[in-house]
Amino acid sequence: MLKTLKADQHYLGAHSDKHLLYCSWTKRDSLLVTRKEFEEDLTANYKAMKKLGVQKGQAPFFLPPYEWYNDSIAAWTKSMGLQLVNFSPGTISHADYTTPEMKNYRSSEVIMQSIKQLSDDMNGFILLMHIGTDPARTDKFYKRLPEMIQHLKSRGCAFVRIDELLSE
């Protein structure tokens, strides 16, 4: 799948090699990794991407695992020559990883409605969706991408790669 995405000229960027949780959920300023662990994990992510032909210079945007970070992680990211990014708040598109047994489960219909409700205010918006999800989630949101794209285009939205969006 990644080779196809690369061939289709989608942006492929780092998200962590081992999907580490960098800081506490309850005390965000408390780090759960050292700077060395952070740098080694991110370096391993770029090494894996390099095998697919994606060089670090082609992928300067970094989305932290769990989309959770603090000022230390932001500074360490910058010191590695990368730009930390995250999804825009407002929709729950990022909840497409949830499964029915989770307390925070959101169905694909609920996710779609959250996007449709905000679609008139999405100028420069970053939606996060997961390529792969747990097999226990049979309601795969990515199967509704054509519907979502058609709706957003009908509302005047244009789709651009994140590097194009953030270069402006």
Side-chain angles (χ1 to χ4, degrees):
M1 177 182 277
L2 290 176
K3 288 180 181 179
T4 301
L5 290 171
K6 185 176 184 314
D8 288 345
Q9 298 183 351
H10 290 275
Y11 181 87
L12 300 174
H15 185 56
S16 171
D17 187 55
K18 295 187 174 94
H19 212 264
L20 303 175
L21 181 61
Y22 296 145
C23 50
S24 170
W25 290 114
T26 56
K27 192 173 178 195
R28 199 169 192 164
D29 62 344
S30 296
L31 287 167
L32 302 175
V33 296
T34 65
R35 183 172 183 160
K36 182 180 180 196
E37 290 170 323
F38 169 80
E39 289 177 353
E40 287 175 350
D41 182 68
L42 197 46
T43 299
N45 189 172
Y46 277 102
K47 185 177 180 182
M49 291 191 321
K50 188 175 183 179
K51 290 178 185 175
L52 295 168
V54 179
Q55 304 296 321
K56 184 178 176 185
Q58 297 171 300
F61 299 104
F62 167 62
L63 178 67
Y66 305 100
E67 299 72 57
W68 192 248
Y69 61 95
N70 61 23
D71 58 349
S72 295
I73 298 302
W76 296 348
T77 300
K78 186 175 183 178
S79 74
M80 292 182 74
L82 303 170
Q83 173 63 53
L84 190 145
V85 296
N86 210 338
F87 62 87
S88 300
T91 74
I92 54 171
S93 66
H94 61 283
D96 65 340
Y97 74 91
T98 60
T99 58
E101 69 277 353
M102 296 176 163
K103 283 192 278 186
N104 63 335
Y105 174 70
R106 299 295 185 271
S107 71
S108 290
E109 180 58 28
V110 168
I111 293 169
M112 183 66 76
Q113 289 309 313
S114 79
I115 294 168
K116 287 180 176 181
Q117 287 172 3
L118 199 64
S119 61
D120 289 335
D121 300 317
M122 288 191 161
N123 186 22
F125 204 89
I126 300 172
L127 280 173
L128 172 64
M129 287 164 268
H130 297 86
I131 295 172
T133 57
D134 191 294
R137 183 181 179 100
T138 56
D139 180 24
K140 306 287 189 185
F141 184 71
Y142 59 76
K143 291 182 178 179
R144 296 191 65 180
L145 283 178
E147 175 190 351
M148 182 198 77
I149 291 168
Q150 181 180 21
H151 173 79
L152 292 175
K153 283 184 174 181
S154 77
R155 307 301 291 179
C157 295
F159 292 84
V160 298
R161 288 172 31 147
I162 194 166
D163 53 339
E164 295 167 352
L165 175 69
L166 298 180
S167 70
E168 296 177 8

